[in-house]
CSV table of all heavy atoms in Angstrom, one decimal:
chain,number,residue,atom,x,y,z
A,1134,ARG,N,-18.3,-1.5,-1.7
A,1134,ARG,CA,-17.8,-2.6,-2.4
A,1134,ARG,C,-16.5,-2.9,-1.9
A,1134,ARG,O,-16.0,-4.1,-2.0
A,1134,ARG,CB,-17.7,-2.1,-3.8
A,1134,ARG,CG,-19.1,-1.9,-4.5
A,1134,ARG,CD,-18.8,-1.5,-5.9
A,1134,ARG,NE,-20.1,-1.1,-6.7
A,1134,ARG,CZ,-20.1,-0.6,-7.9
A,1134,ARG,NH1,-19.0,-0.4,-8.4
A,1134,ARG,NH2,-21.3,-0.4,-8.5
A,1135,GLY,N,-15.7,-2.0,-1.3
A,1135,GLY,CA,-14.4,-2.3,-0.7
A,1135,GLY,C,-14.0,-1.3,0.2
A,1135,GLY,O,-14.6,-0.2,0.4
A,1136,ALA,N,-12.9,-1.7,1.0
A,1136,ALA,CA,-12.3,-0.7,2.0
A,1136,ALA,C,-11.5,0.4,1.4
A,1136,ALA,O,-11.0,0.3,0.3
A,1136,ALA,CB,-11.6,-1.5,3.0
A,1137,PRO,N,-11.2,1.5,2.1
A,1137,PRO,CA,-10.3,2.5,1.5
A,1137,PRO,C,-9.0,1.9,1.1
A,1137,PRO,O,-8.4,1.0,1.9
A,1137,PRO,CB,-10.1,3.4,2.7
A,1137,PRO,CG,-11.4,3.3,3.5
A,1137,PRO,CD,-11.7,1.8,3.4
A,1138,HIS,N,-8.4,2.3,0.0
A,1138,HIS,CA,-7.1,1.8,-0.5
A,1138,HIS,C,-6.5,2.9,-1.4
A,1138,HIS,O,-7.2,3.7,-1.9
A,1138,HIS,CB,-7.4,0.6,-1.3
A,1138,HIS,CG,-8.3,0.7,-2.4
A,1138,HIS,ND1,-9.7,0.7,-2.2
A,1138,HIS,CD2,-8.2,1.0,-3.7
A,1138,HIS,CE1,-10.3,1.0,-3.4
A,1138,HIS,NE2,-9.5,1.2,-4.3
A,1139,ARG,N,-5.1,2.8,-1.4
A,1139,ARG,CA,-4.4,3.7,-2.1
A,1139,ARG,C,-4.5,3.4,-3.6
A,1139,ARG,O,-4.3,2.2,-4.1
A,1139,ARG,CB,-3.0,3.8,-1.7
A,1139,ARG,CG,-2.1,4.8,-2.4
A,1139,ARG,CD,-0.8,5.0,-1.8
A,1139,ARG,NE,0.0,3.8,-1.8
A,1139,ARG,CZ,1.2,3.6,-1.4
A,1139,ARG,NH1,1.7,4.6,-0.5
A,1139,ARG,NH2,1.9,2.4,-1.4
A,1140,ILE,N,-4.8,4.4,-4.5
A,1140,ILE,CA,-4.9,4.2,-5.8
A,1140,ILE,C,-3.8,4.8,-6.8
A,1140,ILE,O,-3.5,4.4,-7.9
A,1140,ILE,CB,-6.2,4.6,-6.4
A,1140,ILE,CG1,-6.3,6.2,-6.2
A,1140,ILE,CG2,-7.4,3.9,-5.9
A,1140,ILE,CD1,-7.6,6.8,-6.9
A,1141,HIS,N,-3.0,5.7,-6.1
A,1141,HIS,CA,-2.0,6.4,-6.9
A,1141,HIS,C,-1.1,7.2,-6.0
A,1141,HIS,O,-1.6,7.8,-5.0
A,1141,HIS,CB,-2.5,7.3,-8.0
A,1141,HIS,CG,-1.4,7.8,-8.9
A,1141,HIS,ND1,-0.6,7.1,-9.7
A,1141,HIS,CD2,-1.1,9.1,-9.2
A,1141,HIS,CE1,0.2,7.7,-10.4
A,1141,HIS,NE2,0.0,9.0,-10.1
A,1142,THR,N,0.3,7.2,-6.3
A,1142,THR,CA,1.2,8.1,-5.6
A,1142,THR,C,1.8,9.0,-6.6
A,1142,THR,O,2.5,8.5,-7.5
A,1142,THR,CB,2.2,7.4,-4.8
A,1142,THR,OG1,1.7,6.5,-3.9
A,1142,THR,CG2,3.2,8.3,-4.1
A,1143,HIS,N,1.6,10.3,-6.5
A,1143,HIS,CA,2.3,11.2,-7.5
A,1143,HIS,C,3.8,11.5,-7.3
A,1143,HIS,O,4.3,11.1,-6.2
A,1143,HIS,CB,1.5,12.6,-7.4
A,1143,HIS,CG,0.1,12.5,-7.8
A,1143,HIS,ND1,-0.3,12.7,-9.1
A,1143,HIS,CD2,-1.0,12.3,-7.1
A,1143,HIS,CE1,-1.7,12.5,-9.2
A,1143,HIS,NE2,-2.0,12.2,-7.9
A,1144,ALA,N,4.4,12.0,-8.1
A,1144,ALA,CA,5.9,12.3,-8.1
A,1144,ALA,C,6.2,13.2,-6.8
A,1144,ALA,O,7.3,13.1,-6.4
A,1144,ALA,CB,6.4,12.8,-9.5
A,1145,ASP,N,5.3,14.0,-6.7
A,1145,ASP,CA,5.7,15.0,-5.6
A,1145,ASP,C,5.3,14.4,-4.1
A,1145,ASP,O,5.4,15.1,-3.1
A,1145,ASP,CB,4.9,16.3,-5.7
A,1145,ASP,CG,3.3,16.2,-5.7
A,1145,ASP,OD1,2.9,15.0,-5.5
A,1145,ASP,OD2,2.7,17.1,-5.8
A,1146,GLY,N,4.9,13.1,-4.1
A,1146,GLY,CA,4.6,12.5,-2.8
A,1146,GLY,C,3.1,12.5,-2.4
A,1146,GLY,O,2.8,11.9,-1.5
A,1147,THR,N,2.3,13.2,-3.3
A,1147,THR,CA,0.9,13.2,-3.0
A,1147,THR,C,0.2,11.8,-3.2
A,1147,THR,O,0.5,11.1,-4.2
A,1147,THR,CB,0.2,14.2,-3.8
A,1147,THR,OG1,0.7,15.5,-3.6
A,1147,THR,CG2,-1.3,14.2,-3.6
A,1148,GLU,N,-0.5,11.3,-2.2
A,1148,GLU,CA,-1.2,10.0,-2.3
A,1148,GLU,C,-2.6,10.2,-2.5
A,1148,GLU,O,-3.2,11.2,-1.9
A,1148,GLU,CB,-0.9,9.2,-1.1
A,1148,GLU,CG,0.6,8.8,-0.8
A,1148,GLU,CD,0.8,8.0,0.3
A,1148,GLU,OE1,-0.2,7.8,1.1
A,1148,GLU,OE2,1.9,7.3,0.6
A,1149,GLU,N,-3.3,9.3,-3.2
A,1149,GLU,CA,-4.7,9.4,-3.4
A,1149,GLU,C,-5.3,8.0,-2.9
A,1149,GLU,O,-4.8,7.0,-3.3
A,1149,GLU,CB,-5.1,9.6,-4.9
A,1149,GLU,CG,-4.6,10.9,-5.4
A,1149,GLU,CD,-5.2,11.2,-6.8
A,1149,GLU,OE1,-6.3,10.7,-7.0
A,1149,GLU,OE2,-4.6,12.1,-7.4
A,1150,TRP,N,-6.3,8.2,-2.1
A,1150,TRP,CA,-6.9,6.9,-1.5
A,1150,TRP,C,-8.4,7.0,-1.9
A,1150,TRP,O,-8.9,8.1,-2.0
A,1150,TRP,CB,-6.8,6.9,0.0
A,1150,TRP,CG,-5.4,6.5,0.4
A,1150,TRP,CD1,-4.3,7.3,0.2
A,1150,TRP,CD2,-5.0,5.5,1.2
A,1150,TRP,NE1,-3.2,6.7,0.9
A,1150,TRP,CE2,-3.6,5.5,1.4
A,1150,TRP,CE3,-5.7,4.3,1.7
A,1150,TRP,CZ2,-2.9,4.6,2.1
A,1150,TRP,CZ3,-5.0,3.4,2.4
A,1150,TRP,CH2,-3.7,3.5,2.6
A,1151,MET,N,-9.0,5.9,-2.0
A,1151,MET,CA,-10.4,5.8,-2.4
A,1151,MET,C,-11.1,4.7,-1.8
A,1151,MET,O,-10.5,3.7,-1.5
A,1151,MET,CB,-10.5,5.7,-4.0
A,1151,MET,CG,-11.9,5.8,-4.5
A,1151,MET,SD,-12.1,5.6,-6.2
A,1151,MET,CE,-12.1,3.8,-6.3
A,1152,ASN,N,-12.4,4.9,-1.4
A,1152,ASN,CA,-13.3,3.8,-1.2
A,1152,ASN,C,-14.6,4.0,-2.0
A,1152,ASN,O,-14.9,5.1,-2.3
A,1152,ASN,CB,-13.6,3.7,0.4
A,1152,ASN,CG,-14.4,4.9,0.9
A,1152,ASN,OD1,-13.8,6.0,0.8
A,1152,ASN,ND2,-15.6,4.7,1.3
Side-chain angles (χ1 to χ4, degrees):
R1134 295 178 182 174
H1138 54 279
R1139 184 170 61 186
I1140 58 174
H1141 186 63
T1142 301
H1143 296 269
D1145 64 358
T1147 302
E1148 295 181 351
E1149 298 190 24
W1150 288 64
M1151 189 183 81
N1152 65 293

